[in-house]
Amino acid sequence: MTRPAAISSPRPGSDSATPEKYKQEMARHDKSQKLKQELTEKNLEANRAPDNAEVRDRLAELCDALGKSELATMWRRPGGSLPTPAPN
């Protein structure tokens, strides 16, 4: 009977095991979390003041930074956060 191969951890000195790479990944993660938190806060602010152009501009910047280009485009349109009114 053959024994299954052991799962090995990365070798010391390999790219995936370096403390520097870990620090870079953690910094990237922290930055992303902060951007997402601000995005949530600005969304709430936009709900309270949908005609505030400064809030919409900041939301567009945050969306760009998070790779959400379609949402960024929406926020850049005047009144982009407002729903389209239903026809009468």
Side-chain angles (χ1 to χ4, degrees), residues 50 53 56-57 60 70-82 84:
R56 286 196 319 272
D57 288 344
E70 288 182 27
L71 283 175
T73 300
M74 179 198 76
W75 285 115
R76 285 191 175 98
R77 286 194 302 261
S81 60
L82 301 174
T84 305

Side-chain angles (χ1 to χ4, degrees), residues 26-70:
M26 287 305 298
R28 187 184 63 79
H29 172 76
D30 290 345
K31 181 180 179 182
S32 177
Q33 289 301 106
K34 287 176 184 174
L35 291 172
K36 289 175 185 177
Q37 179 62 40
E38 186 179 355
L39 181 67
T40 299
E41 292 166 5
K42 290 298 178 186
N43 266 299
L44 293 172
E45 195 173 333
N47 287 338
R48 290 188 299 270
D51 57 343
N52 186 327
E54 284 183 34
V55 172
R56 286 196 319 272
D57 288 344
R58 182 60 184 150
L59 279 162
E61 291 170 3
L62 292 166
C63 289
D64 279 335
L66 291 165
K68 300 175 181 288
S69 59
E70 288 182 27

